[in-house]
Amino acid sequence: MVVMEKSFSQKVKEELKEKIPKARHCQIAEISGIFQCLGWVEETGDKKKIVKISIENLTVREKYFILVKKAFSYTLKSQGTILVLEDQDEVKVFCDALKLFYGKKLVYERIVQRDCCKKAFLRGLFMGSGSVSSPKAEYHLDMSFSDPEKAEEVMKFMAAFEIESKVAKRKKNYIVYLKEGDSIVSFLNVIGAHIAMMELENVRIYKEVRNSVNRQVNCETANLSKVMDAAVQQIENIQYIRDTMGFDALPDSLQTLARIRLENPDVSLKELGMMLDPPLSKSGVNHRMRKLREIVEEHRSAN
């Protein structure tokens, strides 16, 4: 039997499932967040109202069931992936508590007056419509909504916690998304997904260290390549002088440097300078190498 590895989104939602607010006002705020994404109220022919919510994710369905039981002491009926509330007294209390008929806003202000309720509401929204990519692959978190006004409201909720998000239209939906590691860490912290937040932070640290090492290696490789190219050019100049003019045509100081360079093609200019008597600084060696190059260039121009 092949066991599929859980997605990072599913791990986050499983962690959040265990986070049940103690205060009823926070329970209602989180219920509201989930319901706004997945629920609706139907009216029957005899003008009865039925509260329904369709939740395919088992973890989210269990969380919603528990929250409703805690906040209202109601037991929801299950019709496949749909959870149903039919008792008309219970429906009235539920709809009043969630302020479902108090306008077209995403959420009624009184439900999210406290910061703790705002956090619970955002947690509900993520449970209902959110997803987050594995940080090993990329940094991306989003939540989907049916209209731009609701998406704008979610952005304002996130901005209240100094989390800057953006909106993009995807087919018929409006996606509120985060693509910066810092923002996703902040969001996970706000909704209470602290284990997932730490996992993401660990991956970020690993990536930053790896990128830093790669940059350093690339820089050192580039520098080494430049040094090697310069050494090859120096040796070619010296060989040209040896084969055309002869070392005797050079001043003693340049003769000595030319011979030592040919004998030590792989050493740095600093090491080369230490081999001279008296020793010469790196800049001094470089100055003499330029002299040798100029001699070569002048000889080639003359011939």
Side-chain angles (χ1 to χ4, degrees), residues 33-70:
I34 300 173
F35 190 85
Q36 286 292 346
C37 298
L38 304 170
W40 69 97
V41 179
E42 284 185 2
E43 190 168 319
T44 64
D46 54 1
K47 295 188 177 180
K48 289 182 178 179
K49 289 183 171 61
I50 301 175
V51 175
K52 292 186 177 182
I53 187 166
S54 177
I55 310 176
E56 295 184 1
N57 187 300
L58 180 60
T59 300
V60 180
R61 189 157 71 246
E62 290 176 353
K63 176 74 181 285
Y64 184 81
F65 191 94
I66 292 167
L67 285 169
V68 172
K69 186 72 174 176
K70 288 274 187 184

Side-chain angles (χ1 to χ4, degrees), residues 96-112:
D96 285 346
L98 268 65
K99 313 296 182 191
L100 294 182
F101 305 113
Y102 281 64
K104 296 182 179 180
K105 283 194 169 185
L106 180 68
V107 62
Y108 189 62
E109 288 86 346
R110 285 180 59 186
I111 293 178
V112 287

Side-chain angles (χ1 to χ4, degrees), residues 17 27 112 160 233 292 301:
K17 175 193 164 187
Q27 294 166 3
V112 287
Q233 186 60 54
L292 289 171
S301 297

Side-chain angles (χ1 to χ4, degrees), residues 12 16 19 119 122-123 126 186-193:
V12 173
L16 294 176
K19 192 173 183 67
K119 292 178 180 180
L122 281 173
R123 183 163 58 246
F126 181 81
S186 296
F187 182 81
L188 293 177
N189 184 47
V190 164
I191 65 175

